[in-house]
Amino acid sequence: MCCQGAVACEEPIYMDEVRGEYYPMDSSIHADFCLRAQGDSMTGARIYDGDIIFIQSSPVVENGQIAAVAVDDEATLKYFYQYGDTVVLRPANAKYGEMTYSREDLDHLRILGRAVAFQSGL
């Protein structure tokens, strides 16, 4: 599986694609791409800085799933919740606040997919 860049586990970071880094993946994991986590906002979900996150591409995720989300040209990894015309991206670390988007802000969001697995210590 080719790792295609980094995803913030803090504030969103600029999306850049990095190709050529390959990581082993169990054959039971059905992912389309992977990203390297940066930061500590998802430590409560056991996702740490430097972990590899395997993502299954999807423009839609269910409430409570961990999603890779693009905000304009930046990406972040958070728990995803949608309530009507409001999207909340919730970290798994109490030292960070929720990121809330509504109405016209939603035009700037794009769900990249949901996290299906992660690997630490690579």
Side-chain angles (χ1 to χ4, degrees):
M1 170 75 49
C2 183
C3 191
Q4 294 186 323
V7 64
C9 290
E10 290 179 5
E11 294 298 315
I13 59 169
Y14 182 74
M15 290 190 310
D16 61 343
E17 291 193 6
V18 178
R19 300 205 185 269
E21 292 183 63
Y22 287 88
Y23 298 96
M25 181 176 71
D26 186 289
S27 62
S28 67
I29 299 172
H30 302 287
D32 298 304
F33 63 96
C34 64
L35 299 165
R36 182 178 294 278
Q38 290 184 351
D40 65 350
S41 75
M42 295 303 289
T43 57
R46 297 185 342 223
I47 299 172
Y48 299 96
D49 187 48
D51 286 357
I52 302 301
I53 312 304
F54 295 93
I55 305 292
Q56 185 176 60
S57 294
S58 175
V60 177
V61 295
E62 294 181 20
N63 280 350
Q65 291 184 319
I66 296 175
V69 179
V71 182
D72 291 323
D73 291 332
E74 300 177 325
T76 192
L77 186 74
K78 300 284 185 281
Y79 284 108
F80 179 90
Y81 296 91
Q82 184 163 11
Y83 309 102
D85 63 354
T86 300
V87 168
V88 177
L89 303 178
R90 187 172 296 153
N93 182 334
K95 78 178 192 179
Y96 296 98
E98 295 179 342
M99 301 161 62
T100 303
Y101 302 89
S102 59
R103 294 191 176 88
E104 63 276 353
D105 293 336
L106 295 178
D107 292 338
H108 300 276
L109 291 183
R110 181 171 50 99
I111 299 169
L112 302 175
R114 69 181 182 94
V116 294
F118 60 91
Q119 290 183 347
S120 297
L122 292 177

